[in-house]
Amino acid sequence: MNETELLKQYQSLIQDVDNEISLLANTSAFIYQSFNQLDWAGFYLADDNKKILNLGPFQGKVACIKIPYSKGVCGACARENKTIVVADVHQFPGHIACDNASNSEIVIPINVNNKFYGELDIDSPIINRFSDTDKTILESIVEILISKLTSFKIF
């Protein structure tokens, strides 16, 4: 499936969703099923007051429940508010090993109405799994997700 078809399929999947948790749950499932060689795809949601990320909906093995902004790839994404792609997580200073089988990671920030909401975190057992094309597609999925979240009355 090419990028355009994948994004259309995702937009169709979430078109009638009107619940935040349902949206995040199906988004993580969609990514987990649409990309090969993943062992985890899900969300960490921001608690800016405590400077931690709380585990949100995901697909894969059990995960870390709380991640401080000061630690790991997810923490770096929260601090820097930019996409981080790590070819080999074992070389990343301060990496948090929630699953020792994970070898590469991409984390994309989610900002809703100019406020850090959380992030999409994806792990792979393959070193250097995430290409520039993957990054572009996943950032596009996050943009669609943000548009949908923005439409909810809670934001």
Side-chain angles (χ1 to χ4, degrees):
M1 181 179 319
N2 70 35
E3 177 180 349
T4 304
E5 291 170 346
L6 186 72
L7 295 176
K8 282 183 181 177
Q9 185 179 8
Y10 176 62
Q11 285 177 314
S12 178
L13 174 71
I14 67 166
Q15 180 177 350
D16 295 326
V17 176
D18 61 0
N19 176 279
E20 177 185 9
I21 299 302
S22 299
L23 175 64
L24 297 176
N26 257 358
T27 299
S28 64
F30 177 80
I31 291 167
Y32 196 74
Q33 292 172 8
S34 298
F35 290 80
N36 60 7
Q37 301 174 315
L38 302 182
D39 54 8
W40 203 89
F43 296 93
Y44 279 97
L45 306 178
D47 181 340
D48 271 343
N49 294 330
K50 295 181 181 177
K51 299 295 185 202
I52 60 169
L53 296 157
N54 290 300
L55 179 64
F58 69 93
Q59 299 286 308
K61 296 178 182 177
V62 297
C64 298
I65 294 174
K66 294 183 183 295
I67 298 177
Y69 285 13
S70 60
K71 297 194 178 187
V73 181
C74 289
C77 178
R79 289 190 313 274
E80 298 172 25
N81 199 22
K82 69 175 188 178
T83 299
I84 298 179
V85 180
V86 180
D88 182 351
V89 295
H90 307 291
Q91 303 304 313
F92 190 89
H95 169 67
I96 300 169
C98 296
D99 176 6
N100 287 334
S102 291
N103 287 310
S104 62
E105 185 170 8
I106 182 170
V107 185
I108 302 165
I110 302 168
N111 292 286
V112 179
N113 295 330
N114 298 315
K115 184 177 187 305
F116 181 63
Y117 169 83
E119 50 198 38
L120 170 62
D121 179 24
I122 304 171
D123 298 340
S124 173
I126 308 300
I127 289 180
N128 202 24
R129 161 63 183 86
F130 301 103
S131 67
D132 288 340
T133 301
D134 292 325
K135 178 179 181 276
T136 299
I137 293 169
L138 291 165
E139 287 176 334
S140 294
I141 288 172
V142 166
E143 286 304 314
I144 294 166
L145 173 71
I146 290 168
S147 292
K148 190 66 172 180
L149 286 168
T150 302
S151 74
F152 294 169
K153 299 213 183 299
I154 58 173
F155 295 103

